[in-house]
Amino acid sequence: MTAREHLKIRAVRAEQGGAGVFAFFLQGSDITRIADISRIRREEQELRGFQRGVIREHVKQITAFLDSGPVLFPNAIILAMAPEIEFASARGRTPGSICEVGDAGTLTIPIYPEGRRAAWIVDGQQRSLALAEARDRSIAVPVIGFVSADLAIQREQFILVNKAKPLPTRLINELLPEVTVLLPRDLAARQLPSALCEALNTDPSSPFYGLIRRESDRKDKVGIVTDSALIETMRMSLKTPAGALGQFKHNGRGNDTEAMYEALLLYWSAVRDTFPDAWGKPPIESRLMHSAGIRAMGALMDPIMLRTDGVSDRVAAVRTTLKRLAPYCAWTGGSWKGLGIDWNDIQSTSQHISKLSDHLMHLERDLARGAA
């Protein structure tokens, strides 16, 4: 008879709510050897499992991060473990004045075939799959395991772990420029725009100097423009080589961030000077400073800046274009002709942002044709 294979690891045991809770480290490749993923499904109308399906793109992004080189990856995996696991306390003298919270020892987990394993992943299934696919299969991963074969308790813990409020987008945006490791694609796309946003907010020569609202602001400092609106505007411009900023993006050869920043200063300074009565006011008084206005004028930046590229006096050309457009804008009063929307009814919804952006771009193009 073949002896049952076991995984023995050093662990610390504590008690919570009458259940044994263990803290230990595993090599990344060992997690899927000892733990199953309990997929949510229905069998004969009865709900089984609790985990969502695999998000392959997410797993791919995590794997790319793990394969980028020596990485810090302290994110704990949470496991539910069957009562058949065994724990033996370590013998020896206890150090004086030690904080007696947990009991150190050896945890023994039997290894069974897939579908009958002695543990289930409660939190971290995408990370576990990525760790199993990473080139370095020996990455030490922190694990928290609690003993329970009760599916109801496993589901309860799954919901509690995953219902936590996600980090605010604006907090992540502000932190991104300080991060130097390889980031998942969605975060990497926001890193450069966030750095440019910070420069616009802190540069005395910037039209946005001191006007941008960031997560780290003191409560007595109230910015006018949300950083998320500006960051999204820049992110969209960077997505395509035809963008006012994207033309300075050179994949594999670095980015000309200085040229990007100069383009932003040129365009937004012209916007400020074209609409002096609307600039710098709270969004309730000026929809130009509202996120919808910033997004719409940001969308207009690409065609205006590209059309004036190569002109001898580019600053004058951009200002002439915006001046031609100004009489048709309703930032602080009246209504938007052609949209049938009062100035203060413009909201930060995808529908209003799209409508206002399209309206301004079509209007500017028609005015440019008439002036030609």
Side-chain angles (χ1 to χ4, degrees):
M1 184 175 178
T2 305
R4 171 63 59 197
E5 187 180 1
H6 293 81
L7 186 65
K8 293 188 176 185
I9 44 183
R10 298 188 184 278
V12 175
R13 183 188 186 280
E15 286 270 341
Q16 280 190 354
V21 179
F22 298 86
F24 52 94
F25 280 86
L26 283 179
Q27 290 187 344
S29 58
D30 280 334
I31 294 172
T32 51
R33 288 181 65 213
I34 64 167
D36 280 325
I37 297 173
S38 183
R39 301 270 182 233
I40 189 167
R41 63 195 185 283
R42 288 192 179 274
E43 294 179 0
E44 297 180 355
Q45 303 304 313
E46 185 177 350
L47 187 65
R48 304 279 187 180
F50 49 84
Q51 285 280 10
R52 61 185 172 178
V54 178
I55 304 175
R56 290 306 313 172
E57 186 60 28
H58 189 194
V59 173
K60 186 178 176 182
Q61 290 176 1
I62 299 172
T63 304
F65 169 73
L66 295 171
D67 288 344
S68 66
V71 295
L72 180 66
F73 196 67
N75 313 64
I77 306 294
I78 298 180
L79 303 180
M81 300 188 296
E84 64 189 285
I85 59 103
E86 297 178 358
F87 180 77
S89 296
R91 296 178 180 179
R93 294 175 59 184
T94 301
S97 303
I98 192 171
C99 181
E100 293 283 0
V101 176
D103 184 17
T106 301
L107 180 64
T108 302
I109 304 174
I111 297 178
Y112 296 128
E114 184 177 2
R116 297 193 290 113
R117 290 178 177 138
W120 304 267
I121 297 173
V122 172
D123 183 58
Q125 68 149 323
Q126 318 292 346
R127 280 171 279 146
S128 299
L129 293 171
L131 285 159
E133 296 176 7
R135 286 196 293 265
D136 183 358
R137 301 174 65 80
S138 64
I139 297 173
V141 182
V143 179
I144 300 295
F146 62 90
V147 177
S148 176
D150 187 337
L151 180 59
I153 293 177
Q154 295 175 23
R155 282 182 182 152
E156 174 189 283
Q157 290 302 310
F158 175 76
I159 293 169
L160 289 173
V161 166
N162 287 282
K163 81 166 189 174
K165 186 177 180 181
L167 289 174
T169 298
R170 291 180 52 236
L171 172 59
I172 295 175
N173 284 340
E174 191 167 0
L175 291 172
L176 281 175
E178 311 301 321
V179 177
T180 57
V181 298
L182 177 69
L183 291 166
R185 190 181 306 161
D186 60 330
L187 292 181
R190 285 152 53 187
Q191 191 173 34
L192 175 56
S194 186
L196 291 169
C197 183
E198 182 64 16
L200 288 171
N201 195 38
T202 55
D203 179 4
S205 66
S206 163
F208 288 106
Y209 179 56
L211 294 180
I212 300 173
R213 189 161 67 248
R214 307 228 73 179
E215 190 70 22
S216 62
D217 287 344
R218 302 187 312 272
K219 290 187 178 179
D220 60 344
K221 180 186 180 297
V222 181
I224 292 174
V225 178
T226 60
D227 56 359
S228 54
L230 267 173
I231 288 169
E232 182 61 17
T233 291
M234 289 185 273
R235 190 183 72 82
M236 296 303 293
S237 183
L238 283 163
K239 281 182 70 174
T240 168
L245 303 182
Q247 63 178 319
F248 302 116
K249 186 177 179 181
H250 309 298
N251 293 329
R253 296 186 289 114
N255 299 314
D256 190 347
T257 53
E258 186 175 337
M260 293 178 188
Y261 188 62
E262 288 176 358
L264 289 167
L265 287 181
L266 190 160
Y267 177 75
W268 287 104
S269 293
V271 172
R272 174 197 61 193
D273 297 342
T274 302
F275 305 102
D277 294 336
W279 192 264
K281 292 183 176 180
I284 58 171
E285 298 177 22
S286 168
R287 281 306 194 256
L288 176 60
M289 309 309 287
H290 190 275
S291 57
I294 294 293
R295 291 281 301 277
M297 289 303 292
L300 192 61
M301 177 176 68
D302 287 347
I304 288 180
M305 293 296 287
L306 291 177
R307 192 179 299 128
T308 57
D309 194 17
V311 176
S312 57
D313 190 346
R314 196 179 191 190
V315 173
V318 171
R319 290 172 181 264
T320 297
T321 300
L322 290 172
K323 186 177 180 180
R324 192 165 54 220
L325 185 69
Y328 301 90
C329 295
W331 297 122
T332 59
S335 61
W336 288 89
K337 293 180 174 59
L339 289 179
I341 304 175
D342 289 341
W343 76 275
N344 56 353
D345 283 340
I346 293 289
Q347 302 300 323
S348 185
T349 63
S350 57
Q351 183 182 32
H352 274 198
I353 291 170
S354 180
K355 278 187 175 181
L356 186 57
S357 299
D358 290 347
H359 176 69
L360 286 172
M361 285 193 285
H362 283 109
L363 183 59
E364 189 279 325
R365 184 182 60 194
D366 292 342
L367 290 171
R369 287 172 176 170

